[in-house]
């Protein structure tokens, strides 16, 4: 009989991992290292914007002449002195995304050229920070965003398109503020930390090309009206001379914390990848098969074992159900480990929100599928209908932790004892 309580351990690993990538300390540490001089305008965009701005305000104090936070709804934690705080739409941009961006640009355009921009960037920035090219309507942007999110394109592909429709993405914000200098602190939610993709790289030279963009349109069969089609052919800045970027947290940091917490709880550990990006349900099945290999044959590592993965899977939505990639991964894993004892699999968005739901992900074991069936439903049908929220809810396997204030992709964990 194992001495490990797998669910309790998994929850502890998840909690400590998320704590380790909260933006506050990361911003403070980096600012202390940089020891900046001069006056700053702070622009914070993304799901972690409020906390990043708050941390910056505590370190830079009256070096900040003014600040703007643009974050997702319900992600602001109150007033910050000298800051204007805006909340806007995510994952689909809305009127407030455009209004808040306009306000920030208006304030920046009035600044003396010696004022530097401290740019605090976190995931979600693409939807929250937006100024459209002439002739594109918000409805058109919302439609293409929804199509891109549903077609299974990865974030680099999605943002390659978004950059070409925008006056602030793909290095264009840096052009807008030129000759003012930008110091960008980045909490990465993009695999391999591609700076041109994180929040669509507003101050970073675009690494994607028009040719790639046309291939993306063809690959996912995207329908684009004018003038969007025409704008896709416009090239983006390939050189930016007025911005420095610092990555202050990422999924790699998260996985390393998860590993050290698991070790401290007595598990043999392996970080399998920090660049997981396949279809969510395939990842769930694959991880379940590794868990079984460990359970039965004690390899590739011996029990008690913690398998750690970081990244961001995708879901090609075909059904009409409700869920998110982490819930879909967890449900798919649950189907594979049905009936097994001593295996727990969890998948969680470090931002605390998974898809358009109030859950951050799911945590499943060998009993999960049984509980769904006892409630009279078929887990395989629910998975086929992308209805993972309903399935996991029935089995009491949803992870609900609320917005965490950070966003460094997803943590996926299997514990086997
Ligand atoms: O905002 C975005 O583009 C994504 O979260 C990636 O950073």
């Amino acid at each position: 009989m194992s001495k490990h309580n797998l669910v309790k351990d998994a929850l502890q690993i998840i909690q400590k991992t998320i704590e380790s990538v909260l933006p506050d300390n990361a911003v403070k540490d980096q600012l202390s290292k940089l020891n900046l001089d001069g006056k700053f305008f702070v622009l914070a965009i993304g799901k972690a914007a409020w906390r990043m701005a708050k941390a910056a305000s505590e370190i830079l104090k009256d070096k900040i002449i003014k600040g703007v936070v643009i974050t997702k709804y319900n992600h602001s934690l109150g007033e910050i002195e000298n800051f204007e705080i805006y909340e806007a739409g995510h994952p689909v941009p809305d009127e407030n995304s455009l209004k808040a961006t306009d306000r920030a640009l208006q304030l920046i355009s009035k600044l003396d050229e010696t004022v530097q921009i401290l740019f605090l960037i976190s995931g979600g920035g693409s939807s929250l920070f937006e100024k459209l090219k002439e002739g594109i309507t918000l409805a058109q942007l919302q439609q293409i965003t929804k199509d891109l999110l549903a077609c299974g394109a990865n974030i680099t592909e999605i943002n390659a398109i978004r950059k070409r429709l925008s006056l602030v993405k793909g290095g264009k914000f840096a052009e807008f503020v030129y000759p003012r200098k930008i110091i960008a602190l980045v909490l990465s939610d993009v695999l391999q930390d591609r700076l041109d993709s994180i929040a669509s790289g507003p101050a970073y030279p675009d690494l994607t090309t028009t040719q790639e963009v046309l291939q993306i349109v063809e690959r996912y069969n995207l329908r684009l009206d004018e003038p969007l089609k025409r704008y896709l052919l416009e090239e983006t800045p390939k050189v930016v001379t007025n911005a420095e970027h610092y990555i202050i947290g990422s999924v790699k940091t998260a996985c390393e914390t998860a590993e050290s917490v698991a070790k401290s709880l007595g598990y043999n550990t392996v970080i399998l990848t920090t660049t997981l990006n396949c279809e969510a349900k395939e990842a769930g099945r694959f991880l379940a098969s590794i868990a079984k290999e460990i359970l039965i044959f004690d390899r590739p590592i011996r029990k008690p074992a913690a398998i750690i993965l970081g990244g961001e899977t995708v879901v090609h939505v075909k059904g009409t159900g409700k869920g998110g990639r982490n819930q879909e991964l967890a449900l798919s894993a649950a189907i594979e480990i049905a009936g097994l004892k001593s295996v727990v699999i969890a998948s969680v968005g470090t931002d605390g929100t998974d898809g358009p739901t109030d859950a951050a992900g799911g945590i499943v074991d060998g009993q999960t599928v049984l509980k769904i069936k006892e409630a009279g439903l078929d887990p395989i049908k629910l998975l086929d209908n992308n209805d993972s929220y309903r399935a996991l809810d029935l089995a009491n396997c949803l992870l609900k932790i609320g917005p965490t204030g950070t966003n460094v992709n997803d943590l996926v964990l299997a514990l086997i004892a």
Side-chain angles (χ1 to χ4, degrees):
M1 178 77 183
S2 158
K3 67 180 171 60
H4 289 277
N5 178 332
L6 298 185
V7 171
K8 190 163 157 259
D9 289 351
L11 293 176
Q12 187 175 339
I13 294 168
I14 290 166
Q15 190 200 335
K16 293 219 156 119
T17 298
I18 290 175
E19 275 168 19
S20 78
V21 287
L22 291 180
D24 319 50
N25 290 343
V27 167
K28 287 182 180 170
D29 287 353
Q30 188 64 49
L31 287 178
S32 308
K33 272 188 226 151
L34 291 174
N35 198 13
L36 299 171
D37 272 331
K39 291 287 178 198
F40 291 89
F41 179 93
V42 180
L43 175 61
I45 63 165
K47 294 189 208 169
W50 190 92
R51 286 172 188 260
M52 292 176 86
K54 177 80 176 148
S57 78
E58 284 167 17
I59 296 290
L60 293 180
K61 301 197 172 89
D62 53 9
K63 287 184 181 162
I64 298 177
I65 54 168
K66 179 90 187 157
V68 168
V69 169
I70 312 177
T71 195
K72 182 175 169 151
Y73 292 116
N74 300 321
H75 280 52
S76 155
L77 298 175
E79 297 295 307
I80 305 174
E81 204 187 323
N82 222 2
F83 276 72
E84 292 179 19
I85 317 272
Y86 297 99
E87 291 188 331
H90 178 277
V92 178
D94 66 4
E95 194 65 45
N96 287 336
S97 314
L98 305 183
K99 280 192 190 151
T101 304
D102 265 341
R103 175 67 182 150
L105 298 181
Q106 182 199 15
L107 288 167
I108 290 170
S109 65
K110 291 193 189 127
L111 295 174
D112 189 274
E113 291 185 350
T114 59
V115 175
Q116 301 163 73
I117 314 294
L118 178 64
F119 194 16
L120 305 174
I121 303 173
S122 55
S126 292
S127 176
L128 301 162
F129 187 56
E130 184 60 285
K131 185 172 177 69
L132 286 169
K133 285 189 179 165
E134 207 181 315
I136 304 179
T137 64
L138 175 60
Q140 284 177 318
L141 176 70
Q142 290 175 325
Q143 190 53 54
I144 183 68
T145 306
K146 285 181 195 157
D147 292 350
L148 283 165
L149 291 172
C151 74
N154 67 40
I155 193 67
T156 299
E157 293 171 325
I158 294 176
N159 287 354
I161 306 264
R162 296 206 265 206
K163 283 174 200 175
R164 283 167 175 77
L165 309 177
S166 171
L167 288 172
V168 287
K169 296 176 162 55
K172 287 192 222 79
F173 173 66
E175 282 189 344
F176 177 86
V177 308
Y178 189 84
R180 299 174 193 87
K181 192 176 155 198
I182 297 176
I183 293 159
L185 307 193
V186 185
L187 199 58
S188 168
D189 69 332
V190 170
L191 305 187
Q192 298 172 47
D193 302 336
R194 266 189 70 159
L195 284 165
D196 74 313
S197 286
I198 303 166
S200 300
Y204 201 79
D206 181 27
L207 303 178
T208 63
T209 61
T210 300
Q211 203 193 349
E212 280 165 10
V213 163
L214 295 178
Q215 284 164 359
I216 296 166
V217 171
E218 205 179 299
R219 186 171 313 136
Y220 297 105
N221 205 9
L222 297 169
R223 284 194 29 244
L224 289 143
D225 303 330
E226 286 298 344
L228 281 71
K229 232 187 207 158
R230 179 162 36 91
Y231 280 135
L232 290 191
L233 301 174
E234 275 183 14
E235 256 320 344
T236 40
K238 303 298 178 211
V239 179
V240 169
T241 53
N242 57 330
E244 288 168 15
H245 286 72
Y246 300 89
I247 292 177
I248 59 167
S250 68
V251 74
K252 181 171 164 287
T253 334
C255 287
E256 286 163 4
T257 306
E259 177 168 53
S260 80
V261 179
K263 274 198 167 93
S264 75
L265 293 171
Y267 291 88
N268 301 311
T269 62
V270 62
I271 296 179
L272 217 51
T273 177
T274 57
T275 62
L276 181 71
N277 70 354
C278 61
E279 187 75 29
K281 57 183 172 194
E282 297 306 328
R285 290 178 63 184
F286 179 63
L287 183 55
S289 76
I290 296 173
K292 283 193 233 174
E293 188 74 17
I294 294 173
L295 194 65
I296 304 166
F297 299 117
D298 251 334
R299 65 183 184 197
I301 56 172
R302 301 180 79 84
K303 298 183 284 286
I307 311 287
I308 295 151
L309 301 86
E312 195 165 294
T313 57
V314 289
V315 176
H316 288 81
V317 179
K318 299 219 171 68
T320 54
K322 175 167 144 181
R325 56 181 184 267
N326 289 287
Q327 293 159 67
E328 180 129 333
L329 188 160
L331 176 58
S332 147
I335 293 168
E336 297 298 315
I337 60 169
L340 295 182
K341 289 202 178 80
S342 304
V343 179
V344 161
I345 292 180
S347 188
V348 59
T350 55
D351 60 0
T353 55
D354 185 37
T357 75
D358 60 355
I363 179 161
V364 298
D365 63 13
Q367 295 300 301
T368 304
V369 153
L370 198 69
K371 289 181 194 154
I372 300 169
K373 285 185 179 158
E374 271 168 13
L377 288 173
D378 179 345
I380 296 176
K381 282 197 181 135
L382 289 168
L383 183 62
D384 283 346
N385 194 29
N386 304 113
D387 215 357
S388 50
Y389 183 92
R390 188 155 164 227
L392 297 180
D393 200 17
L394 286 172
N396 205 14
C397 290
L398 287 172
L399 268 170
K400 291 191 185 176
I401 53 178
T404 60
T406 194
N407 182 17
V408 292
N409 304 108
D410 303 334
L411 174 72
V412 185
L413 181 69
L415 297 182
I416 306 104

